[in-house]
Amino acid sequence: MEFQKDGLSFYIGVDEQEGRTAGGGYCDAEIWIAEPVSGSRPEGYHQAKDKMEGWWHVFDDRNERVVMIYNSTTLFYLSPSYSIIDTEGILD
């Protein structure tokens, strides 16, 4: 499964037979740790891993907010503005 919005993509494997995620979830936002390590903060989106939980936090730098939190099998949080999916043409 993949969804995209405003230049941000998120992918996760789905096992339709089992009715669950199959792992491999990732986002295409650039990984950024801190300026001394990763250089200047990317424009648009970036992501950083919470080492305690192992979850990825994806930030929208233009609007200064978290847009999603995920790991390899679960999408824990998705900003409401990103959860509106345009299904035009999908069900045709």
Side-chain angles (χ1 to χ4, degrees):
M1 176 189 82
E2 173 188 10
F3 72 82
Q4 298 177 322
K5 181 160 182 170
D6 297 334
L8 181 68
S9 294
F10 177 76
Y11 312 85
I12 193 162
V14 176
D15 184 334
E16 292 183 28
Q17 298 267 18
E18 296 291 323
R20 62 181 175 83
T21 60
Y26 66 95
C27 179
D28 68 349
E30 185 175 338
I31 295 171
W32 188 79
I33 299 168
E35 197 161 320
V37 176
S38 303
S40 58
R41 191 163 68 185
E43 292 182 23
Y45 300 98
H46 77 274
Q47 62 181 324
K49 191 170 189 177
D50 176 329
K51 291 184 181 187
M52 296 291 289
E53 297 289 342
W55 300 349
W56 288 95
H57 294 244
V58 181
F59 300 91
D60 176 352
D61 294 314
R62 295 170 295 191
N63 298 304
E64 298 181 347
R65 63 183 172 179
V66 173
V67 294
M68 78 175 71
I69 301 171
Y70 73 96
N71 69 11
S72 64
T73 61
T74 305
L75 186 59
F76 296 105
Y77 170 77
L78 182 62
S79 173
S81 64
Y82 285 78
S83 63
I84 299 169
I85 299 172
D86 179 8
T87 59
E88 184 177 333
I90 293 176
L91 303 175
D92 293 343

